[in-house]
């Protein structure tokens, strides 16, 4: 059956503190966003000792508006693109009174309830940044941390940082990297010719329509953030021009009165069936060529889905003008490749993100062009004890996948799962990488793409295989 979490799936609350097993290797979790919380909960409930470090004063990552950690891309109108039953953790459904697609503040409230329900808030150390991770001299990993408040803050309560920072090095048997991949803004390279006298921001720095109020705005991009910002600007700005280099299929989030992703296929269905479902969804949503958007050069399903229920109405009302790529900048206007131009005092670059691990030396781990092949999108064959959680771009939500990845890590640490040989890990890693890349057009955005339900099934099968091997 397709993944869908209902109220009956709620696990009992953890009411007594779970003591860690000192015989198990200690783990460092980097980050307390959605993936970090999934990792912390899995380790805590399994009795695996760990430290979870969050550089801000609150958990929630990208779902916390104005996150004090300074790297959240959350904006005022942000809502999920995956319906609540398919975004929730497997044993903790979202509240029954939530809409089909929750807002960012509802998602963050859900995280608060999740942490409280399973009782692991005390395990998160806030205002503490991991600054360097390297191999230990005798195995394992040495982790440098810099803390402006050495104590663990209560979950959900902002800590007042000390004026002076303290640094230390700790040793761990394993590290779970959950620092996210939507925080290091990718700007256009090379820069466009000409001079622009107005303001330029990346979509990462967009927070609300107040930034667009009464302005001539050019939004560059065709992803979910670009469309959300253009739609908001159509209500607030003096003019909005949407510059699109490559056409995208824009799916409606609601079809036949229900969340579109509730029309899902079983996890064992092959990729071509999922691709066919996306083609049907695109057909039912209707194309955007009549609104001036370029016809996508790829089929639906060959790119990460873009979803918007409002863009068609705003385009149809003439509140957003579609333009091709930018040719050059001219002081107070933008000139496009078709020779047309538009006045502008604000350019919003919705041009994606770089995958970045500032705490690793590049020769140890790097993702040139956002490309980092991993076994099951989480394990490097030459870096034992290093696990990447949530480093994928699913057709669906990251949270359940990060949860499943964390379960695999727990099984590996407790001896219930054994990895294949290094040779098999490498071979299967490259086979999966080639398969996933064949399914999508070549771009930095699709180097980590996976099919949600199929990936969950793959992990379950791998855990079963590893259990037999163990």
């Amino acid at each position: 059956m397709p993944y869908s979490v209902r109220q009956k799936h709620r696990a009992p609350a953890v009411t007594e503190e779970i003591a860690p097993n000192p015989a198990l290797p200690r783990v460092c979790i980097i980050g307390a966003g959605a993936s970090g919380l999934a990792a912390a909960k899995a380790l805590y409930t399994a009795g695996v000792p760990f430290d979870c470090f969050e550089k801000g004063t609150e958990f929630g990552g990208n779902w916390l508006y104005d996150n004090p950690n300074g790297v959240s891309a959350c904006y005022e109108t942000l809502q999920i693109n995956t319906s609540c039953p398919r975004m929730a953790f497997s044993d903790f459904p979202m509240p029954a009174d939530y809409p089909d697609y929750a807002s960012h503040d509802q998602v963050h409230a859900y995280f608060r309830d999740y942490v409280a329900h399973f009782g692991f808030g005390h395990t998160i150390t806030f205002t503490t940044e991991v600054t360097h991770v390297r191999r230990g001299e005798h195995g394992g990993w040495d982790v440098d941390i810099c803390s402006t408040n050495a104590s663990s803050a209560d979950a959900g309560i902002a800590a007042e940082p000390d004026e002076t920072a303290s640094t230390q090095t700790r040793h761990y048997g394993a590290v779970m990297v959950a620092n996210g991949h939507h925080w290091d803004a990718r700007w256009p390279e090379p820069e466009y010719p000409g001079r622009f006298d107005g303001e330029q921001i990346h979509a990462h720095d967009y927070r609300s329509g107040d930034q667009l109020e009464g302005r001539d705005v050019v939004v560059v991009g065709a992803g979910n953030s670009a469309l959300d910002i253009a739609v908001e600007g159509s209500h607030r700005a003096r003019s909005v021009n949407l510059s699109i280099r490559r056409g995208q299929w824009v799916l409606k989030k609601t079809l036949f009165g229900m969340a579109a992703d509730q029309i899902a296929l079983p996890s064992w269905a092959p990729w071509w069936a999922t691709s066919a479902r996306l083609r049907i969804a695109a057909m039912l949503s209707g194309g955007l060529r009549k609104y001036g958007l370029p016809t996508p050069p790829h089929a639906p399903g060959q790119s990460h889905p873009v979803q918007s229920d409002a863009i068609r109405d705003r385009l149809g009302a003439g509140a957003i003008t579609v333009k091709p790529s930018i040719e050059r900048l001219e002081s107070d206007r933008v000139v496009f490749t078709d020779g047309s131009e538009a006045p502008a005092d604000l350019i919003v670059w919705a041009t994606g993100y770089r995958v970045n691990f500032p705490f690793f030396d590049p020769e140890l781990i790097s993702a040139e062009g956002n490309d980092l092949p991993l076994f099951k999108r989480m394990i490097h064959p030459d870096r034992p004890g290093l696990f990447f959680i949530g480093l994928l771009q699913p057709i669906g939500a990251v949270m359940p996948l990060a949860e499943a990845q964390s379960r695999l890590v727990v099984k590996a640490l407790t001896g219930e799962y054994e990895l294949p040989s290094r040779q098999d890990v490498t071979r299967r890693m490259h086979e999966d990488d080639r398969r996933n890349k064949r399914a999508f057009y070549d771009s930095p955005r699709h180097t980590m793409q996976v099919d949600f339900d199929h990936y969950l099934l793959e992990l379950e099968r791998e855990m079963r295989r590893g259990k037999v091997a163990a």
Side-chain angles (χ1 to χ4, degrees), residues 77-119:
T77 59
L78 179 65
Q79 63 174 204
I80 60 179
N81 286 324
T82 304
S83 63
C84 291
R86 284 179 60 79
M87 185 179 185
F89 294 117
S90 65
D91 54 2
F92 195 70
M94 289 193 179
D97 59 354
Y98 272 21
D100 288 337
Y101 298 97
S103 61
H104 64 81
D105 55 319
Q106 290 173 318
V107 174
H108 189 258
Y110 168 78
F111 286 157
R112 283 177 176 268
D113 292 345
Y114 180 72
V115 171
H117 186 82
F118 291 104

Side-chain angles (χ1 to χ4, degrees), residues 157-467:
I157 300 177
E160 290 296 332
D162 297 335
E163 292 183 0
T164 58
S166 62
T167 61
Q168 59 176 296
T169 299
R170 297 186 186 182
H171 183 76
Y172 295 94
V175 173
M176 297 175 76
V177 180
N179 69 318
H181 55 91
H182 287 120
W183 60 270
D184 188 5
R186 188 174 71 239
W187 293 75
E189 293 181 2
E191 295 181 359
Y192 286 95
R195 186 189 87 249
F196 185 64
D197 296 333
E199 182 184 3
Q200 300 184 58
I201 66 171
H202 192 275
H204 183 270
D205 301 313
Y206 170 75
R207 291 293 174 268
S208 77
D210 291 346
Q211 294 166 267
L212 314 175
E213 188 72 45
R215 306 184 74 173
D216 292 312
V217 180
V218 173
V219 180
V220 182
N224 289 300
S225 296
L227 299 192
D228 283 353
I229 295 169
V231 166
E232 182 66 14
S234 72
H235 297 286
R236 306 285 295 272
R238 184 165 50 237
S239 67
V240 177
N241 285 271
L242 179 62
S243 174
I244 297 178
R245 176 177 59 87
R246 183 183 188 125
Q248 294 289 350
W249 299 99
V250 181
L251 311 183
K252 290 184 177 180
K253 299 172 75 170
T254 303
L255 290 172
F256 309 117
M258 63 187 295
D261 68 354
Q262 291 295 303
I263 308 169
L265 298 171
S267 56
W268 47 260
W271 167 248
W272 63 261
T274 299
S275 184
R277 179 181 69 82
L278 292 172
R279 285 197 296 272
I280 293 171
M283 180 184 67
L284 293 173
S285 297
L288 294 178
R289 185 176 179 180
K290 65 180 179 180
Y291 300 111
L293 271 73
T295 300
H298 57 274
Q302 290 183 322
S303 67
H304 187 75
V306 179
Q307 296 173 283
S308 175
D309 282 340
I311 189 67
R312 290 171 175 82
D313 290 340
R314 302 312 294 160
L315 288 168
I320 300 171
T321 302
V322 177
K323 295 288 187 180
S325 297
I326 293 174
E327 181 178 279
R328 66 184 186 276
L329 309 176
E330 286 192 355
S331 183
D332 62 350
R333 59 192 55 251
V334 173
V335 180
F336 302 95
T337 54
D338 63 354
S340 65
E341 57 183 51
D345 55 22
L346 174 65
I347 300 176
V348 182
W349 301 97
T351 46
Y353 296 88
R354 288 187 296 265
V355 176
N356 195 357
F357 311 104
F359 37 79
F360 288 134
D361 292 331
E363 59 270 19
L364 181 74
I365 290 289
S366 63
E368 188 70 27
N370 283 8
D371 197 8
L372 178 60
L374 297 166
F375 178 66
K376 299 306 172 191
R377 290 296 327 143
M378 60 181 296
I379 298 171
H380 193 295
D382 298 320
R383 305 290 183 262
L386 189 62
F387 303 96
F388 293 84
I389 307 300
L391 187 61
L392 31 66
Q393 189 76 38
I395 298 179
V398 169
M399 288 157 51
L401 307 191
E403 179 190 29
Q405 290 176 328
S406 300
R407 286 200 301 268
L408 188 150
V409 174
V410 166
K411 291 179 182 295
L413 296 173
T414 57
E416 298 178 55
Y417 167 85
E418 184 175 318
L419 268 171
S421 67
R422 181 190 176 282
Q423 182 180 2
D424 282 348
V425 164
T426 303
R427 175 184 58 80
R428 292 172 59 188
M429 175 183 76
H430 288 303
E431 286 176 355
D432 288 349
D433 189 54
R434 287 192 294 269
R435 179 198 65 196
N436 290 337
K437 287 177 179 175
R438 281 197 304 268
F440 305 94
Y441 71 77
D442 184 21
S443 78
R445 189 182 190 190
H446 296 120
T447 55
M448 304 180 294
Q449 200 78 26
V450 299
D451 177 41
F452 178 90
D453 290 291
H454 190 68
Y455 179 81
L456 277 178
L457 180 63
E458 280 186 345
L459 279 190
E460 289 298 330
R461 287 173 172 170
E462 176 57 27
M463 283 187 270
R464 289 198 296 269
R465 184 215 58 78
K467 181 177 181 180

